[in-house]
Amino acid sequence: MKRYFLLELDEDILYRMAFTYLKNEQDAMDVMQDLVYKALKKMHTVQQHEYARTWLVRVLINCCKDHLRKRPPTVQIEEHH
């Protein structure tokens, strides 16, 4: 129960971090969903509970990096008149 509370408590901060990395609201929401899944599945592996927040941030950053790697590359084209 405490573990889920930590996710809920930091949800806004974690979302803003994801949005800062990804620059896209939908991608940030997708990463948040991945984070919740991974955190609930693996939170038991955190050995020192005082570092649970730090662990969540690290998982979030890794989720963002994974998401960016999966994105197709984009090329910006400038228009000339």
Side-chain angles (χ1 to χ4, degrees):
M1 186 64 90
K2 280 184 178 180
R3 293 172 182 158
Y4 182 73
F5 180 71
L6 185 63
L7 280 169
E8 193 174 89
L9 189 66
D10 293 334
E11 180 181 9
D12 188 50
I13 294 167
L14 293 168
Y15 170 78
R16 283 187 271 145
M17 287 180 68
F19 185 83
T20 301
Y21 259 85
L22 302 169
K23 311 282 192 256
N24 181 302
E25 183 179 349
Q26 194 61 44
D27 290 344
M29 294 299 289
D30 288 345
V31 163
M32 287 298 293
Q33 191 173 15
D34 290 345
L35 172 66
V36 170
Y37 172 75
K38 288 178 180 181
L40 291 175
K41 188 174 179 184
K42 296 288 186 175
M43 186 69 84
H44 69 279
T45 64
V46 178
Q47 293 177 0
Q48 294 176 309
H49 295 290
E50 61 269 17
Y51 296 117
R53 271 196 176 100
T54 305
W55 180 82
L56 272 176
V57 170
R58 187 74 244 163
V59 173
L60 174 72
I61 291 169
N62 288 336
C63 287
C64 288
K65 287 180 177 182
D66 289 344
H67 195 83
L68 287 171
R69 263 186 242 115
K70 293 176 185 174
R71 256 191 205 171
T74 57
V75 177
Q76 219 169 5
I77 299 173
E78 293 181 28
E79 291 186 30
H80 295 283
H81 295 282

